[in-house]
Amino acid sequence: MFGRRTQGIHVRDEKNTSDSVPKAVPTPGKVVIPMSMHVGAPCTPVVKVGQEVKLGEPIGAPNGLGAPIHASVSGKVTAIQDLVMPNGATVPAVVITSDGTQTVWEGVRPPKVHDLASFTEAVKESGLVGLGGAGFPTWAKLTTGIDTLLVNGGECEPYCTTGCRTMLDSTEDLLEGARLVKQYIGAKEVIIAIEESAPKALAKMEQAVAGLEGFAVKRLPARYPQGAEKMQIFNTTGRVVPEGKLPKDVGVIVMNVASVAFIAEYLRTGMPLVTKAVTIDGPAVREPKNVIAPVGMAIGEILEAAGGCKEDPAKVIYGGPMMGGCVASLDFPLLKQNNAFLAFDEKTARMPDPTPCIRCARCVDACPMSLMPVDIAKAYELQDAQGLMDLHVDLCMECGICTYVCPAKRGLAFTNKMAKGFLREYRAKNQEVKQA
């Protein structure tokens, strides 16, 4: 019943920047680098106020599952302050005032890799996390027992185009990164999944893999959310990831195209993840384009460096409009996993008032996981934990389709997210009771 992963919807592409080659913005006067840009506990700052740092120098050490964090500019550490993240958590952030020289740290050098252990360690030291938005530490995915590397080029969110540009502009690094991952984890096959709505990237990658043993390009229909990993695994391999399991449990690892290309770049140069390519677009943006900015640069400064807005934006979103979140302040910094900033004017930012559910079942029909958002909303309203478990709310990928198709304009996706959070708290409390 659950997991009908061929479902989804057509959304307006709005790929206004698909022909925009990412260009670096000027180095900012300062950066604010949060110690949490990954799944897992925040990093511990390893620098002190007043300390001089150089580009690529480590400034945050991971605690367990995580990825190290590096200076994205050279200069002086002028503060270590608390920063409220989009999820509400407060984490330390290192503030570096730039000296304008971008002097590279002496420790930046290509790593020596000869087996899976050294390869995994190199990927960990690079600071790489999932660049498609999830932020999962990439090194933690690298394991044996995998037969398929699925390279995710399904950039299904409207507006976002940096993944497409990676396939067009960094083709050799993408293939080399895939080859390295395939070699060290012992995978038999590399599948590069690309939607048919990106014809230039499809043509480029199909030509590039021609004749490469173990490499294939898989054309996917342009249906959102084609980039979701469980949906993509099913549509490329026919395998279903069971509830509560990970892709590796069915012999697959999924990596974003930008993540794979970065691995090759890091092994060639030794420069850790200190910059990020992001799409700047939206109705309020004067000149939609792709840019490369230092991690920790203020969103407002990036927007200005990209040409500014036609008017003060009423809403700015990080990520795509379907799964992205609202930016609380334009002073908030660019994170490793951000791939777009979208600025909306007053007209397009205004949310319609919700009306009562008319029981049309459009949300059920469109859900890629065959969930029942209306029933989930009712169970959440009643704080019915068992009901939420019976409705498999944990399968929700928060893709936003249910909200998008709802004629009553109900915030079903947000309710699903709240329901998942409630269920996590319920289970944690039950576990505490059992342990007591």
Side-chain angles (χ1 to χ4, degrees):
M1 177 180 177
F2 293 92
R4 191 174 50 188
R5 293 171 177 83
T6 54
Q7 293 295 88
I9 60 173
H10 292 287
V11 295
R12 292 170 56 185
D13 276 347
E14 302 288 358
K15 304 291 189 179
N16 308 310
T17 58
S18 59
D19 292 327
S20 171
V21 178
K23 301 294 184 182
V25 301
T27 303
K30 75 170 184 179
V31 292
V32 179
I33 304 180
M35 293 292 99
S36 180
M37 293 186 281
H38 50 258
V39 173
C43 287
T44 299
V46 294
V47 291
K48 297 179 180 179
V49 175
Q51 181 177 335
E52 298 284 344
V53 294
K54 296 178 180 178
L55 178 64
E57 184 171 349
I59 60 173
N63 296 296
L65 179 66
I69 296 171
H70 305 80
S72 60
V73 298
S74 60
K76 180 181 290 187
V77 177
T78 49
I80 298 177
Q81 62 190 34
D82 287 340
L83 181 69
V84 179
M85 301 297 286
N87 64 1
T90 300
V91 303
V94 174
V95 181
I96 304 173
T97 298
S98 172
D99 60 15
T101 67
Q102 290 297 76
T103 304
V104 177
W105 181 50
E106 297 82 359
V108 171
R109 59 177 67 92
K112 295 181 179 179
V113 172
H114 53 84
D115 57 12
L116 178 59
S118 59
F119 180 66
T120 302
E121 183 62 20
V123 173
K124 183 176 183 179
E125 290 303 309
S126 77
L128 179 61
V129 300
L131 300 182
F136 190 83
T138 303
W139 65 268
K141 290 185 175 184
L142 302 175
T143 182
T144 56
I146 303 296
D147 59 64
T148 303
L149 166 62
L150 180 53
V151 182
N152 189 348
E155 200 165 34
C156 55
E157 280 266 18
Y159 294 101
C160 305
T161 64
T162 56
C164 178
R165 292 315 314 179
T166 296
M167 291 183 278
L168 291 171
D169 305 326
S170 303
T171 310
E172 291 184 4
D173 276 344
L174 175 55
L175 293 180
E176 175 63 6
R179 185 194 67 78
L180 290 165
V181 175
K182 177 178 181 290
Q183 173 186 340
Y184 287 116
I185 67 173
K188 298 178 181 178
E189 184 178 24
V190 174
I191 299 174
I192 304 173
I194 309 171
E195 288 185 83
E196 291 175 339
S197 56
K200 291 182 180 179
L202 263 170
K204 183 75 176 285
M205 295 309 304
E206 285 176 339
Q207 181 181 16
V209 304
L212 291 182
E213 184 178 355
F215 280 71
V217 170
K218 175 70 174 180
R219 289 173 172 253
L220 298 176
R223 289 182 68 84
Y224 177 85
Q226 199 65 256
E229 66 175 15
K230 290 184 178 181
M231 186 172 178
Q232 197 169 97
I233 289 170
F234 179 78
N235 288 340
T236 54
T237 69
R239 304 176 195 179
V240 174
V241 180
E243 185 174 1
K245 298 295 185 178
L246 297 172
K248 68 178 182 180
D249 295 314
V250 295
V252 180
I253 64 169
V254 184
M255 295 178 65
N256 178 268
V257 287
S259 300
V260 175
F262 174 78
I263 289 175
E265 181 183 343
Y266 176 70
L267 264 61
R268 186 178 69 252
T269 67
M271 179 59 72
L273 183 56
V274 293
T275 61
K276 188 65 174 66
V278 290
T279 297
I280 305 299
D281 204 343
V285 170
R286 183 173 287 113
E287 302 173 41
K289 64 180 66 172
N290 291 312
V291 301
I292 300 172
V295 170
M297 185 173 179
I299 294 170
E301 289 188 62
I302 297 174
L303 290 173
E304 285 302 313
C309 294
K310 293 178 284 189
E311 58 185 87
D312 289 338
K315 180 182 291 185
V316 175
I317 292 176
Y318 59 87
M322 298 295 290
M323 295 185 71
C326 291
V327 172
S329 168
L330 293 182
D331 292 330
F332 194 80
L334 167 66
L335 307 180
K336 291 179 181 180
Q337 63 268 43
N338 292 152
N339 59 359
F341 294 118
L342 310 177
F344 295 86
D345 55 28
E346 183 66 35
K347 180 181 179 180
T348 52
R350 189 180 300 115
M351 296 292 290
D353 293 329
T355 58
C357 174
I358 63 172
R359 309 296 291 184
C360 66
R362 292 184 189 179
C363 57
V364 178
D365 186 58
C367 177
M369 304 306 288
S370 300
L371 301 180
M372 303 183 71
V374 173
D375 290 349
I376 290 172
K378 185 63 176 179
Y380 176 64
E381 180 184 347
L382 297 173
Q383 298 287 278
D384 180 3
Q386 185 59 52
L388 291 172
M389 286 186 272
D390 293 342
L391 290 164
H392 300 270
V393 69
D394 284 331
L395 282 174
C396 175
M397 63 179 77
E398 300 173 28
C399 65
I401 283 179
C402 50
T403 297
Y404 186 87
V405 301
C406 178
K409 309 302 180 185
R410 297 168 64 82
L412 296 169
F414 181 73
T415 301
N416 285 3
K417 184 173 185 175
M418 297 294 289
K420 289 167 67 177
F422 163 74
L423 200 53
R424 282 194 298 271
E425 293 178 2
Y426 172 83
R427 287 168 171 154
K429 289 178 182 177
N430 273 7
Q431 186 63 29
E432 289 175 4
V433 170
K434 287 180 181 179
Q435 290 176 347

